[in-house]
Amino acid sequence: MELGEWISYCQEVIDKLRVSKDHILKLSKQERAKLSQATEELREKFIYCILSEDQIEEAKLWIDKLLSKIEDLKKSAGIKGVTFAKELRSFLEDPLLHLKKKIFVYTFDLLSGNLRIADYIMKAGAAIRTSLRTNMRSIYQTWVFLVLIDQLVKDHGRIVYPEHGYIYVERNRRQTLGMLLPNCIVEFNHGKRLSFFIEVPRPLSWEDSSDLAKVWKFYVALRPDFMVYSGTEMNIAMPERTPPVKRPNVIIECKELEDWYKRTRDLRGWWTKAISAEHWRLLWLRGLWQGLAEAMGIKTKEELIKTITEERKGLRVKEYRLVQIYKKFYNPDVMLLITRTALPKEIKEDIEKAGLVTFDDIGFNEDRLTEAVDLLKKFGRKEVSQRTITDLIREKYNLGEIDDQLIEQAIMRLIDRHLNEFLSELKQS
């Protein structure tokens, strides 16, 4: 359906239903069912005015890729499942239904006369595009994350954390204890470990103005897709520092869009002054949107119009420049850029000159991530308490990838042959 046809259809529905906010409470059960069905059809037809059927089908294909990877991990790592944020979980269950939910309130306001058709097209259309783009990005980012975990586990490994068998992918509830906890700790290659953190730093909990001032950096910090640390790291928050987290060994950034490097991002952040807790709560009472908007550095419409020209000159950057800023700001040992599609030669060269390692044209081909996994493995570290006699022998005599069991069997045979000499050494010790 073309947008013009939808507008005519929408006007027919509005004229037919003649709904008001007061009237909705007086509708009979049958009338409510009729209204619900009308809004269902209206929303679905509108979604297909904004998006093509191919876009919805592509979303379903990506969802299948992600769910298939989860099943692989259940077999290789013995996990019970993966937990997602509510938004992504809803999209994974049914992308079309999720998008219809996103515009339900706008649709009711439209039918009750509180929103003009032109405003509905603008607001509901933006909500649909943003939701699709955000969830598609999360799907690809999560697929990459799970592939990396899966390939590490397959190297004589296991998932050490979380212990209960569910991998956390959601971000927003991971720091309510005032800590930045890992999403996953993987053990591989006879005991080496890597700790993975998704989209950190994230805001920490706070109670009063002094607390909020301390954690303000977490609200405005740059957030790469993944930070990876050698060994076991259970809390990387360091509020007294800038940036407010422990320096990562590896940063990984994923890009799912074909034209991502052409896009720009408005940077507002670490130079902004922290507001007080009292001011925060006042803003909250004035309205959730205004409060959160100011907390994230977004001005009111009036203020924005006055200052948009001055501010955006210095704060708007290309996405491919932003990934370079991540590296300079956090100073990791290495930063990996993983892109679903191929990069233009000049963009790739520019990024690599800044010291990033690029893996482009990955698509959903897991084999293309093998080199990235090999690079990650170099940062695996054993905890001191984990080191065994076989570890010491392997390192001292450069035995590489020889299995622990083979080393143990060789030690036992040598002791059998030289038992008296072995016991004599023990007595002298």
Side-chain angles (χ1 to χ4, degrees):
M1 179 179 280
E2 298 293 329
L3 189 56
E5 294 178 296
W6 181 86
I7 292 174
S8 299
Y9 172 73
C10 177
Q11 191 61 61
E12 290 177 9
V13 173
I14 293 173
D15 293 340
K16 183 179 180 180
L17 294 177
R18 297 187 179 278
V19 178
S20 68
K21 280 193 174 180
D22 293 335
H23 182 214
I24 188 67
L25 299 175
K26 302 174 184 177
L27 293 178
S28 67
K29 188 175 181 180
Q30 289 181 334
E31 288 172 325
R32 286 178 190 170
K34 184 178 178 182
L35 175 63
S36 177
Q37 183 179 358
T39 62
E40 185 88 8
E41 294 174 1
L42 191 65
R43 284 178 284 157
E44 183 166 331
K45 289 179 185 295
F46 180 71
I47 288 170
Y48 281 116
C49 287
I50 303 301
L51 306 175
S52 67
E53 290 187 18
D54 287 344
Q55 286 176 291
I56 299 296
E57 289 305 311
E58 183 183 34
K60 293 178 180 178
L61 179 62
W62 286 29
I63 290 170
D64 288 343
K65 295 286 187 183
L66 177 58
L67 297 181
S68 176
K69 190 69 251 171
I70 293 173
E71 293 304 311
D72 289 345
L73 258 179
K74 288 179 179 179
K75 296 174 184 175
S76 63
I79 67 167
K80 297 176 182 177
V82 176
T83 64
F84 298 101
K86 183 180 179 181
E87 168 83 11
L88 180 55
R89 185 173 68 248
S90 172
F91 188 83
L92 294 176
E93 290 170 354
D94 188 332
L96 181 59
L97 179 60
H98 175 80
L99 294 174
K100 285 192 280 190
K101 291 177 183 176
K102 297 298 289 186
I103 59 173
F104 176 81
V105 174
Y106 291 127
T107 306
F108 180 74
D109 283 344
L110 172 67
L111 294 177
S112 61
N114 292 319
L115 197 62
R116 297 182 306 164
I117 292 179
D119 293 331
Y120 177 88
I121 292 172
M122 180 181 68
K123 293 181 178 181
I128 289 168
R129 294 186 195 96
T130 300
S131 180
L132 179 70
R133 186 168 61 246
T134 300
N135 283 296
M136 293 292 274
R137 169 162 175 71
S138 295
I139 288 171
Y140 192 71
Q141 179 195 74
T142 305
W143 178 84
V144 170
F145 169 64
L146 296 180
V147 169
L148 298 178
I149 298 298
D150 187 40
Q151 292 199 21
L152 288 170
V153 166
K154 286 177 179 175
D155 181 8
H156 304 90
R158 64 191 179 100
I159 291 175
V160 177
Y161 177 89
E163 300 94 339
H164 49 58
Y166 287 91
I167 296 179
Y168 292 113
V169 174
E170 77 269 23
R171 296 98 168 136
N172 294 334
R173 297 180 183 179
R174 304 292 297 139
Q175 56 277 339
T176 54
L177 298 176
M179 303 167 64
L180 288 177
L181 301 171
N183 292 82
C184 185
I185 299 177
V186 186
E187 186 176 284
F188 62 97
N189 191 6
H190 310 291
K192 292 181 180 179
R193 292 185 180 184
L194 287 171
S195 300
F196 287 78
F197 295 77
I198 298 178
E199 289 186 5
V200 287
R202 282 279 167 185
L204 299 179
S205 58
W206 50 270
E207 293 184 4
D208 55 24
S209 291
S210 60
D211 283 345
L212 181 55
K214 290 176 184 176
V215 302
W216 184 250
K217 298 173 188 176
F218 293 91
Y219 278 89
V220 294
L222 297 169
R223 295 187 186 106
D225 289 340
F226 311 120
M227 288 189 184
V228 186
Y229 292 80
S230 296
T232 299
E233 290 291 344
M234 290 305 297
N235 179 26
I236 59 170
M238 292 185 168
E240 71 282 357
R241 293 189 184 181
T242 301
V245 292
K246 182 178 180 179
R247 188 181 73 83
N249 295 102
V250 184
I251 286 179
I252 303 172
E253 184 71 7
C254 304
K255 297 298 179 184
E256 83 291 354
L257 294 175
E258 187 172 358
D259 64 344
W260 69 272
Y261 53 87
K262 297 178 182 178
R263 296 173 179 255
T264 57
R265 181 90 64 89
D266 284 335
L267 285 186
R268 298 179 181 89
W270 56 88
W271 57 83
T272 57
K273 183 180 178 182
I275 61 178
S276 69
E278 290 73 26
H279 188 196
W280 178 291
R281 292 189 176 100
L282 176 62
L283 289 169
W284 185 276
L285 293 173
R286 285 173 53 190
L288 180 62
W289 165 246
Q290 288 93 342
L292 293 179
E294 179 159 347
M296 297 307 296
I298 302 171
K299 291 179 168 52
T300 64
K301 183 177 180 181
E302 293 74 21
E303 291 173 316
L304 188 58
I305 290 173
K306 292 179 183 178
T307 60
I308 192 169
T309 304
E310 299 175 14
E311 290 195 1
R312 290 198 171 184
K313 283 181 180 177
L315 301 176
R316 177 165 282 191
V317 297
K318 290 284 188 181
E319 283 276 359
Y320 77 94
R321 295 290 186 192
L322 179 59
V323 298
Q324 298 174 35
I325 293 173
Y326 287 160
K327 186 176 189 302
K328 291 180 180 178
F329 190 61
Y330 289 107
N331 191 30
D333 295 317
V334 66
M335 179 166 175
L336 314 184
L337 174 65
I338 296 172
T339 67
R340 186 178 64 88
T341 59
L343 286 172
K345 183 179 178 182
E346 64 276 10
I347 296 294
K348 187 172 183 177
E349 288 177 350
D350 188 90
I351 292 171
E352 291 180 341
K353 280 181 183 177
L356 283 77
V357 182
T358 60
F359 299 93
D360 66 328
D361 199 20
I362 299 298
F364 284 93
N365 187 339
E366 297 182 28
D367 293 338
R368 290 182 177 272
L369 286 173
T370 300
E371 289 184 30
V373 174
D374 290 341
L375 189 51
L376 277 177
K377 287 180 179 180
K378 295 179 180 179
F379 294 92
R381 190 189 71 212
K382 290 188 177 182
E383 308 303 316
V384 175
S385 59
Q386 290 180 282
R387 292 167 63 84
T388 64
I389 183 63
T390 54
D391 296 330
L392 296 173
I393 290 173
R394 180 183 290 106
E395 292 174 14
K396 182 173 177 61
Y397 300 106
N398 195 27
L399 298 181
E401 300 299 312
I402 296 178
D403 189 76
D404 282 359
Q405 190 174 5
L406 294 177
I407 295 176
E408 291 169 0
Q409 290 171 353
I411 293 171
M412 293 297 293
R413 287 195 297 269
L414 282 171
I415 292 175
D416 286 341
R417 288 187 212 139
H418 305 277
L419 180 58
N420 292 334
E421 187 177 347
F422 176 70
L423 294 175
S424 176
E425 283 291 329
L426 287 177
K427 289 178 182 178
Q428 290 181 20
S429 301

